[in-house]
Amino acid sequence: MADPTQRIYAMPDEDLHNAAQTMHDNLNDDLALFTPKFPFVTAGYVTSFQSDIDTAKAYQLDSGVTNFIKLLTSNVGTVQDQGADALDDLDSYAKLAYKTDLISQRIFGQNTWAAAKVDADKMVDALEEAHNLANQAPFKAAIIAKGYSQGEIDNLLTISQNLNTKIKLQKDAQSKRPISTQTRAILNNALYGRMQDINVCAGLVFKGNGAKLNQYRLTEPVAAVITKLIITVKDALGALIEGANVLLPNAPQFQPKTTDALGVVTFSGNSLPENVDIHVDAPPHAPTDQMNNPILPQEDNDVEVVVNP
């Protein structure tokens, strides 16, 4: 049995809706020619066709969902950068307060900060830990004596909480996207299925009339649609990494690939999942997983992975 969530049409959703509306309007005009040959094609059938179009159009387009996820991801990155700046400021005051005491100087969790700068969840934890230590004796008095402020201490926790909220919003949107995508595909497939039926009927109603048949034509099958995933691998300093091994854990149909001199690998086909998990091995860096990368079908999707230190 065919998967009802697998798209059976090749065109973008908006184009499908426009084509369906045109076919509906033509059918409404030609209804008197259809009904004698196909009694089920009545005024009620035309009304039902319009209802299918309106329902499909009312459902949010995948591009809108993906753009929303991208916005949330950008918001996470922005707050994560704010956290990195706040930690760097704390580190400067720690160095002033404990110039010769390296153990106390790094008491605020500096050994975890490199990983936190490339992992938002770790940044939440790093900021919270830094706040807790900076807000207690004797460390609080030492860094404030060098010019750090209570406001800056409090801001560490504020950024941590803000980042945690942004991450939850991002993950919630990513987790719901497959559901919205499946519903959208079911609605649009039903619409396209009705268009296929009308196309068959038109073939008999207007047999030999090329101009009229053209009004009821369909698109090419979806098998020709190709989606690309272009992955660029970098280190925390932005250097491109050649020779990194990249695999897609939730897309085992694709074999692992190795990045080229520009740190790039490309996966392409018509079976990429809606959200791709990426695993990168690039010794001497630690293995890196970047989960739930949203993918737009029929487009070139650029994803950057910054490996763990």
Side-chain angles (χ1 to χ4, degrees), residues 2-19:
D3 181 358
T5 67
Q6 181 66 42
R7 286 163 51 113
I8 62 173
Y9 55 96
M11 66 183 83
D13 292 350
E14 288 177 294
D15 292 347
L16 171 67
H17 302 157
N18 292 335

Side-chain angles (χ1 to χ4, degrees), residues 152-211:
E152 288 173 300
I153 294 174
D154 295 341
N155 194 43
L156 293 168
L157 184 59
T158 298
I159 297 173
S160 176
Q161 293 171 339
N162 187 19
L163 179 57
N164 192 43
T165 299
K166 295 290 192 298
I167 292 171
K168 287 180 179 178
L169 288 172
Q170 177 200 37
K171 291 182 176 179
D172 182 61
Q174 289 173 335
S175 67
K176 290 178 179 176
R177 184 184 177 219
I179 299 174
S180 64
T181 301
Q182 291 171 6
T183 303
R184 185 182 308 105
I186 291 170
L187 290 172
N188 287 330
N189 282 344
L191 181 61
Y192 190 73
R194 188 188 287 268
M195 294 170 68
Q196 289 175 316
D197 292 343
I198 296 170
N199 170 262
V200 171
C201 294
L204 289 177
V205 173
F206 299 113
K207 189 174 182 179
N209 187 338

Side-chain angles (χ1 to χ4, degrees), residues 269-286:
N270 58 8
S271 61
L272 282 164
E274 296 290 346
N275 292 280
V276 174
D277 296 339
I278 300 172
H279 177 84
V280 177
D281 287 309
H285 303 279

Side-chain angles (χ1 to χ4, degrees), residues 2-282:
D3 181 358
T5 67
Q6 181 66 42
R7 286 163 51 113
I8 62 173
Y9 55 96
M11 66 183 83
D13 292 350
E14 288 177 294
D15 292 347
L16 171 67
H17 302 157
N18 292 335
Q21 188 64 61
T22 298
M23 182 178 284
H24 166 275
D25 295 345
N26 288 329
L27 177 62
N28 190 54
D29 292 342
D30 297 330
L31 184 59
L33 300 175
F34 276 80
T35 305
K37 288 184 177 293
F38 303 98
F40 69 91
V41 182
T42 63
Y45 181 89
V46 174
T47 299
S48 178
F49 187 11
Q50 184 65 61
S51 177
D52 286 352
I53 296 170
D54 293 341
T55 301
K57 289 174 68 175
Y59 204 81
Q60 188 176 18
L61 294 172
D62 190 56
S63 58
V65 176
T66 305
N67 288 337
F68 180 59
I69 292 174
K70 287 181 178 179
L71 174 62
L72 293 176
T73 301
S74 176
N75 289 344
V76 169
T78 298
V79 181
Q80 189 175 355
D81 289 342
Q82 292 175 355
D85 290 340
L87 291 177
D88 286 342
D89 290 345
L90 173 60
D91 187 51
S92 295
Y93 283 96
K95 289 176 180 176
L96 291 172
Y98 299 104
K99 192 173 297 185
T100 59
D101 184 353
L102 296 181
I103 295 178
S104 296
Q105 186 183 116
R106 297 184 62 79
I107 196 66
F108 302 101
Q110 284 92 326
N111 62 308
T112 68
W113 291 0
K117 290 178 180 180
V118 295
D119 186 315
D121 289 308
K122 292 179 181 178
M123 177 59 76
V124 170
D125 295 337
L127 287 164
E128 184 176 354
E129 179 185 11
H131 165 267
N132 291 340
L133 288 164
N135 205 37
Q136 65 178 260
F139 313 113
K140 178 177 180 177
I143 55 179
I144 286 181
K146 294 300 181 180
Y148 205 58
S149 69
Q150 183 63 51
E152 288 173 300
I153 294 174
D154 295 341
N155 194 43
L156 293 168
L157 184 59
T158 298
I159 297 173
S160 176
Q161 293 171 339
N162 187 19
L163 179 57
N164 192 43
T165 299
K166 295 290 192 298
I167 292 171
K168 287 180 179 178
L169 288 172
Q170 177 200 37
K171 291 182 176 179
D172 182 61
Q174 289 173 335
S175 67
K176 290 178 179 176
R177 184 184 177 219
I179 299 174
S180 64
T181 301
Q182 291 171 6
T183 303
R184 185 182 308 105
I186 291 170
L187 290 172
N188 287 330
N189 282 344
L191 181 61
Y192 190 73
R194 188 188 287 268
M195 294 170 68
Q196 289 175 316
D197 292 343
I198 296 170
N199 170 262
V200 171
C201 294
L204 289 177
V205 173
F206 299 113
K207 189 174 182 179
N209 187 338
K212 292 298 294 184
L213 289 173
N214 191 54
Q215 291 182 340
Y216 295 90
R217 65 184 177 86
L218 297 171
T219 60
E220 294 300 319
V222 73
V225 176
I226 297 296
T227 301
K228 285 187 178 181
L229 172 60
I230 305 163
I231 302 171
T232 302
V233 179
K234 298 181 177 181
D235 65 17
L237 298 178
L240 300 170
I241 299 179
E242 180 180 4
N245 190 51
V246 181
L247 61 90
L248 310 179
N250 65 334
Q253 65 272 30
F254 294 94
Q255 294 297 313
K257 293 189 176 183
T258 302
T259 55
D260 60 19
L262 296 177
V264 174
V265 293
T266 299
F267 297 90
S268 62
N270 58 8
S271 61
L272 282 164
E274 296 290 346
N275 292 280
V276 174
D277 296 339
I278 300 172
H279 177 84
V280 177
D281 287 309

